[in-house]
Amino acid sequence: MAQEGGALVTDVPVKRPREDEENGVPATTVSMETENNKDLPDSISSVISGWFSEISPMWPGEAHSLKVEKILFRGKSDYQDVMVFQSSTYGKVLVLDGVIQLTERDECAYQEMITHLPLCSIPSPRKILVIGGGDGGVLREVSRHSSVEHIDICEIDKMVVDVSKEFFPQIAVGYEDPRVTLHIGDGVAFLKAVPEGTYDAVIVDSSDPIGPAQELFEKAFFESVAKALRPGGVVCTQAESIWLHMHIIEDIVANCRQVFKGSVNYAWTTVPTYPRHVLELFIFISLDACIYISIRV
């Protein structure tokens, strides 16, 4: 499939600054509530008085804030609200449905961990599938492996790809690798159509299990992954916070034990702009595959 690029319109209007009647402090408010989360009234992140605050029912009772220098892009795709802003301390920030997906300052910690641990765990990986990862960071890291011959990426939201190419070229550089084939579409459907034993590794760089990424956390999805992997292959997937989402993790662990019949270990690294500031990795080992599950904490 031919790749499509090019700049998106970035002159997106936001509400004009108003004077706070109580203290006279200018405040610009940008609601991140969208059609995808309209049934979750607490899932609203906003820019208020120059600060972006990440507010979501996925981490109740807490929020992470970054100072905003300038909103660079805001648009609504067929699937989610997309925003890019320039922060004071973390460079440019990509936000989907009010949740930070990456920042220029700390994206390397996530991209490197979710890519190199699985790919370095098997000998000479040749054919790789990335589900999600529309920003291109995982592609950038996969391309560093000289044994890799082909990389498929299936991203559901073309706007994420285009916005990343425009505002995060040092991350989206992964799309420039000639070994990469971009597929715009649903990752679950893509996997179901993949012939058995196609890939040496599957890396699932998904958003949280609400909205378009929900199916990527279910047992049927892992069964499709198992079918797509060759014997001895590896899968690595983002799997939420060990401090906030133990019920989700327990479900993933139980499903993967049934599908891959593996044991569990974990490693971790820090990602400051993810909730609780830690990224952990559950590692599943089986006779047929080695399965890493990365956990946002």
Side-chain angles (χ1 to χ4, degrees):
M1 175 179 178
Q3 298 182 19
E4 295 182 14
L8 294 182
V9 176
T10 60
D11 186 16
V12 179
V14 297
K15 292 183 180 179
R16 300 178 68 86
R18 61 176 174 80
E19 292 294 315
D20 189 290
E21 294 180 357
E22 295 183 358
N23 55 28
V25 177
T28 299
T29 302
V30 179
S31 172
M32 298 298 292
E33 189 173 19
T34 71
E35 291 298 317
N36 288 331
N37 61 26
K38 64 183 179 181
D39 295 327
L40 300 171
D42 294 328
S43 183
I44 303 173
S45 296
S46 57
V47 179
I48 302 175
S49 298
W51 288 81
F52 169 82
S53 295
E54 185 180 85
I55 303 168
S56 172
M58 288 293 293
W59 33 92
E62 59 186 88
H64 184 215
S65 298
L66 291 176
K67 189 174 183 180
V68 178
E69 296 291 338
K70 182 180 181 182
I71 296 175
L72 302 174
F73 175 87
R74 184 165 183 256
K76 183 176 290 188
S77 72
D78 292 336
Y79 301 96
Q80 56 204 339
D81 194 274
V82 181
M83 183 169 77
V84 179
F85 68 87
Q86 180 71 43
S87 71
S88 296
T89 53
Y90 280 82
K92 290 194 287 289
V93 180
L94 174 65
V95 179
L96 300 180
D97 275 350
V99 178
I100 293 173
Q101 301 301 306
L102 63 84
T103 77
E104 289 182 307
R105 181 177 178 184
D106 66 6
E107 56 87 14
C108 60
Y110 177 84
Q111 317 279 18
E112 292 174 5
M113 181 68 86
I114 201 172
T115 303
H116 298 305
L117 276 182
L119 294 190
C120 289
S121 72
I122 58 176
S124 302
R126 297 184 302 277
K127 193 166 185 178
I128 315 299
L129 172 63
V130 180
I131 299 290
D135 54 78
V138 170
L139 295 178
R140 180 193 65 196
E141 298 305 314
V142 172
S143 68
R144 300 183 191 276
H145 291 256
S146 59
S147 65
V148 172
E149 299 171 357
H150 184 80
I151 311 165
D152 282 320
I153 176 169
C154 186
E155 164 63 49
I156 197 170
D157 196 339
K158 186 177 183 296
M159 182 178 286
V160 174
V161 176
D162 291 340
V163 166
S164 298
K165 289 179 178 180
E166 174 69 10
F167 295 101
F168 302 91
Q170 77 283 8
I171 299 173
V173 66
Y175 286 104
E176 298 177 10
D177 193 299
R179 295 171 291 179
V180 172
T181 299
L182 171 62
H183 307 267
I184 298 296
D186 179 72
V188 174
F190 183 88
L191 262 179
K192 288 180 179 178
V194 167
E196 185 172 351
T198 297
Y199 295 105
D200 298 288
V202 175
I203 300 174
V204 186
D205 182 10
S206 70
S207 52
D208 296 304
I210 53 176
Q214 183 172 349
E215 287 185 272
L216 304 182
F217 290 77
E218 297 173 356
K219 183 179 178 181
F221 173 74
F222 289 109
E223 290 173 338
S224 295
V225 171
K227 171 179 169 288
L229 282 173
R230 67 166 178 80
V234 59
V235 56
C236 179
T237 182
Q238 188 278 115
E240 297 306 305
S241 167
I242 197 170
W243 298 105
L244 302 174
H245 310 120
M246 186 55 70
H247 62 292
I248 296 175
I249 297 166
E250 287 174 345
D251 287 345
I252 293 175
V253 169
N255 287 335
C256 285
R257 281 178 172 161
Q258 291 178 28
V259 173
F260 297 99
K261 312 255 187 309
S263 58
V264 181
N265 299 284
Y266 71 89
W268 60 270
T269 188
T270 58
V271 185
T273 51
Y274 286 167
R276 287 293 188 186
H277 300 190
V278 180
L279 168 71
E280 294 199 358
L281 295 173
F282 274 93
I283 304 171
F284 293 73
I285 308 294
S286 78
L287 295 176
D288 296 321
C290 171
I291 302 94
Y292 287 77
I293 294 188
S294 70
I295 298 179
R296 281 176 46 162
V297 182

